[in-house]
Amino acid sequence: MSRTGSAWRSQVAIAGYALSPIERHSSRSLGDLAVETGLAAILDAGLRKEDIDGFTTGSHLPSAGGHALVDGLSIVSSNWISERLGIRPRWLSGFQGHGQLPGSVMLAVNALAAGAADYVLLHRALANPAARYHENPMTLASGGSQWTAPNGMWGPVAQIALPYNEYMQRYAATREEMATVVVELRKNAARIPWAYWHDRPITIEDYLNARIIADPISILDCDIPIEGVGAFVLTRAHRARDLPNKPVYLSGFGQGTPSAVGSTRHWTLDEIMESAQVTCDQLWASSGLNVSDVDLPQLYDGFSPFIYFWLEALGYCPIGEAHEFVQGGAIATGGPAPVASGGGALGNGRLHGIPQLLECYLQLSQRAGERQIANANVGLACHSSPHYGGVVLCTADQI
Amino acid sequence: MQDNPASDFGDAEGHAHMDNVGRPLPVPDQSSEGFWAAASDHVLAIQHCGHCDNAAHPPVIVCSACLSPDSEFDFRPISGTGRMRTWTVIQDPFLPGFRAEVPYIIADVEFDDVPDVRMVARLTIDGEAPLVIGAPTETTFEDVASGIALPRFRLLRG
C-alpha cells in the first residue's frame, strides 16, 4: 500500500467495544446505560477500569420540546462518565460539531499518538426524549432560527428535503430509486440481533407508501429515535497487540467544514458537494489510499439522501449518478459498494455513527460471527452528511 | 388552534403533541435589525458591505468577501424578484403552531438583483403555476404582529 499519509496513520487501534440494548425508550437512565456499557467495553478490551486514563465523546442532540439537556439523563459527557467510573483522567475531551463519532475518534487518536493518554474510553450515548424528537414550542426565534422558524421551517428534515429535492429535480431521480437503498439497509439490519429493526425488513411498497414529513422526505427516509450507548476502547498500536482482541487500526480521517452561513437556512446541493469533496480529499490524503482500496464502506444514512452524497463524494460514481448506481445490486453485500452491510442508522436506530464504526470494527477484527465477510481489510465509518460530518478509515493491518 | 384532519399529529408511538402554541416571531439582533425594520415597511432590504458592496443574507458579522475588520454595513432595497432554486412541501411540521397550515411550501429563492444571495420563505401559488426549479418568483410581505412582517414568495407564471 501507499507510503504517503499522515504521521498518526495506523498508530492507534480499537481494542474492544460494547453496545447497550437498543430500545425506543429505556426503563433505565442514560447514565446507567453509559456506565454499564463503558465498563463492558473496558472488560472486552482485556483491561481494568484503572487502566483508562482518557475519555472523549460527542454529545450533540437530542432536541425536543426546547428543553435544556441534562447530563446523565439526556446526554452523557466525558466528565460525567469519568466521575461515575471513579477515574480522574489525564486527558478528557468532547467533540463539538457534526460528525461526532469520527470527530471524537480523531480527538482520541491525536491524544494517544501524542502520549496524552494511554487507554481512551470513547462513548456515545443517545437519548430519545418523551416529546417528539426535534419538536419545539418556541414563540420567539432568535439567532439563526429567525430566518427559518417564523416561516414554519425547523429541524433537519426540511434542511435535508431542500437539497434532496434539488437533487431529484436536477438529475431526474425518483423515490422508487431511493427505495432500493432503504430496503437494502433494512434487509441487512433484519439480520442483526441488536438492531432496532431486527427481523423487520420492509418492501418497496412499504417505502413508497410511507408518510411524508417534508416532501420528498418520508418517515422511512429518517432513522428512528432510540435510546442506547456504544463504547470503544482505543490505545496505541503496540499496546493493542498485547490485548486479547485483534486490533483494528485507525488509518485515515476526513472532516467537513462548510460555510457557516448555510447552516442558518440549508446548504445548496452544490455547496454540499463542494465541501464533501474536501472531506474526502482529506480522507484519501491522510490514509494514502483511494476508493478502490475500500472493502467495507459504511456510509451514514440518518437521512437516506446522505447515501447518495457520500457515494458521489467518495468517487463510487460521478456526481448526479448515485441514484442510478445503487440499482442492480451495486450496494448489496458482495457488490462493488456494500454500503449498508451493518444496517446503518435506518436499520439500527438513531445511534449517530455507532453502527458504522461497529460494523467496521466487527468485520475487520473477525468478530462478526455468522455475518463475517471474508477478505475485508479496509472499512469506512462515516457519520452525518459528507459536507459537515466526518469519516474514519479503519484497517485490519497497519498501513 | 384548530385540528387539521389532513395531518397526522402523533409520532409512530402515538405521543400527543403540544398544543396551543403560536408561530414563533423573529427577534431582530444587532446584525439583522436593518432587515426586519425594512420588512415591517414591506421592503426587502439586503445587507451590503460598505467597503466592497458585497451582498449577504443572512446578514454577516464580518464581510465574507473583503474580510474587513472595520465592518460597515447598510441594508439596500432590492426588487425581490428571483428564481426558485428548490422547495419542500411541509406535511408534518416540528413547530406546533404550523400544524393547522399543512401542507405548505418552503421555497429557496435566488434574487435577480443580487445573484449570490438566496433566502428561504413560505411560497404561495396563485392558479396553475407549476413547481419547477428556476420558476420566477416575486416577494410579498405578511404582517404577523405589530411592527413585524415576514417576506413571502409568490410564484409567477413563467
Side-chain angles (χ1 to χ4, degrees):
Chain A
M1 290 185 179
S2 167
R3 291 175 189 282
T4 59
S6 295
W8 49 261
R9 185 181 65 168
S10 294
Q11 299 306 302
V12 171
I14 302 175
Y17 85 103
L19 185 70
S20 78
I22 298 171
E23 297 177 278
R24 192 84 163 102
H25 294 279
S26 176
S27 59
R28 303 173 61 196
S29 75
L30 194 65
D32 271 6
L33 286 178
V35 169
E36 180 180 83
T37 308
L39 284 169
I42 295 165
L43 285 178
D44 181 68
L47 296 168
R48 298 166 307 144
K49 191 179 78 168
E50 295 71 29
D51 296 320
I52 301 297
D53 59 358
F55 291 85
T56 190
T57 189
S59 48
H60 176 66
L61 292 176
S63 123
H67 298 308
L69 298 175
V70 180
D71 211 353
L73 290 179
S74 49
I75 60 167
V76 176
S77 69
S78 300
N79 300 56
W80 195 94
I81 196 170
S82 68
E83 282 183 22
R84 270 62 189 186
L85 288 172
I87 296 170
R88 181 157 293 187
R90 285 205 288 144
W91 178 78
L92 190 142
S93 181
F95 182 75
Q96 303 291 319
H98 293 277
Q100 299 85 26
L101 202 63
S104 51
V105 166
M106 271 315 290
L107 291 178
V109 166
N110 280 294
L112 287 160
D118 290 331
Y119 298 99
V120 170
L121 180 67
L122 182 157
H123 82 281
R124 181 72 170 116
L126 273 302
N128 180 21
R132 185 190 189 202
Y133 212 97
H134 291 310
E135 182 150 295
N136 197 308
M138 71 171 86
T139 55
L140 295 172
S142 56
S145 68
Q146 71 187 288
W147 308 111
T148 54
N151 296 303
M153 178 180 168
W154 177 253
V157 180
Q159 262 193 339
I160 301 306
L162 287 165
Y164 180 39
N165 191 35
E166 199 176 1
Y167 185 101
M168 292 181 77
Q169 302 291 328
R170 188 187 292 183
Y171 303 125
T174 65
R175 292 194 69 237
E176 284 77 4
E177 289 172 320
M178 186 62 89
T180 304
V181 175
V182 179
V183 167
E184 174 69 19
L185 280 152
R186 290 289 296 270
K187 182 184 87 181
N188 293 334
R191 300 171 60 207
I192 299 176
W194 56 82
Y196 182 79
W197 295 115
H198 171 59
D199 225 7
R200 287 181 284 182
I202 59 167
T203 65
I204 288 173
E205 290 68 36
D206 292 334
Y207 176 79
L208 294 176
N209 292 329
R211 180 167 63 87
I212 298 289
I213 297 174
D215 185 56
I217 299 278
S218 79
I219 193 154
L220 290 182
D221 292 302
C222 310
D223 56 355
I224 188 165
I226 50 83
E227 294 191 324
V229 178
F232 296 88
V233 174
L234 278 61
T235 187
R236 283 191 290 282
H238 68 94
R239 293 179 187 271
R241 282 193 291 275
D242 293 335
L243 296 173
N245 301 314
K246 179 177 168 5
V248 170
Y249 300 96
L250 301 164
S251 302
F253 176 68
Q255 170 74 45
T257 51
S259 154
V261 173
S263 66
T264 56
R265 26 174 212 203
H266 75 281
W267 288 277
T268 66
L269 188 57
D270 292 325
E271 287 169 342
I272 287 172
M273 295 315 296
E274 282 166 24
S275 181
Q277 197 56 59
V278 175
T279 305
C280 294
D281 287 348
Q282 287 177 16
L283 175 72
W284 305 132
S286 61
S287 64
L289 303 186
N290 63 57
V291 68
S292 66
D293 295 311
V294 177
D295 308 303
L296 206 65
Q298 298 300 297
L299 308 188
Y300 184 74
D301 59 337
F303 297 108
S304 62
F306 292 162
I307 295 277
Y308 289 173
F309 301 162
W310 277 111
L311 279 170
E312 295 175 7
L314 288 165
Y316 279 100
C317 59
I319 286 179
E321 294 184 13
H323 63 108
E324 296 165 336
F325 175 82
V326 297
Q327 311 303 323
I331 60 169
T333 304
V339 302
S341 64
L346 290 176
N348 284 274
R350 188 168 296 166
L351 276 166
H352 278 199
I354 289 284
Q356 285 77 8
L357 185 62
L358 181 59
E359 176 69 355
C360 288
Y361 175 70
L362 292 176
Q363 295 291 349
L364 300 178
S365 63
Q366 302 289 317
R367 298 180 72 185
E370 61 185 22
R371 295 192 310 107
Q372 185 66 50
I373 295 170
N375 303 320
N377 294 306
V378 178
L380 296 179
C382 303
H383 181 204
S384 193
S385 177
H387 72 293
Y388 63 0
V391 50
V392 171
L393 186 144
C394 307
T395 53
D397 302 301
Q398 280 185 296
I399 61 170
Chain B
M1 193 183 82
Q2 295 295 306
D3 276 4
N4 181 341
S7 73
D8 178 351
F9 289 171
D11 68 10
E13 294 196 343
H15 294 296
H17 293 167
M18 284 164 282
D19 232 342
N20 302 318
V21 184
R23 300 186 289 169
L25 296 172
V27 180
D29 55 39
Q30 195 180 342
S31 71
S32 69
E33 58 193 1
F35 178 91
W36 292 115
S40 72
D41 294 330
H42 291 201
V43 171
L44 184 62
I46 294 295
Q47 186 200 50
H48 283 70
C49 175
H51 299 290
C52 75
D53 292 328
N54 187 60
H57 184 81
V60 294
I61 312 295
V62 170
C63 176
S64 56
C66 72
L67 306 177
S68 168
D70 183 22
S71 293
E72 218 182 276
F73 298 110
D74 58 301
F75 284 81
R76 302 179 193 169
I78 64 168
S79 73
T81 61
R83 301 265 163 184
M84 185 162 68
R85 178 157 185 136
T86 184
W87 72 91
T88 178
V89 184
I90 305 290
Q91 300 280 6
D92 187 3
F94 292 86
L95 295 163
F98 284 89
R99 269 189 214 118
E101 315 232 342
V102 300
Y104 59 90
I105 302 167
I106 299 287
D108 185 17
V109 162
E110 293 172 322
F111 294 111
D112 296 334
D113 298 358
V114 277
D116 294 334
V117 171
R118 59 192 181 85
M119 190 169 85
V120 289
R122 290 273 290 275
L123 178 83
T124 53
I125 303 175
D126 298 335
E128 299 296 310
L131 278 174
V132 289
I133 282 182
T137 56
E138 65 177 8
T139 304
T140 62
F141 287 86
E142 178 193 10
D143 292 306
V144 291
S146 174
I148 301 178
L150 298 177
R152 280 202 183 219
F153 298 128
R154 200 166 72 85
L155 205 55
L156 300 171
R157 281 160 213 265

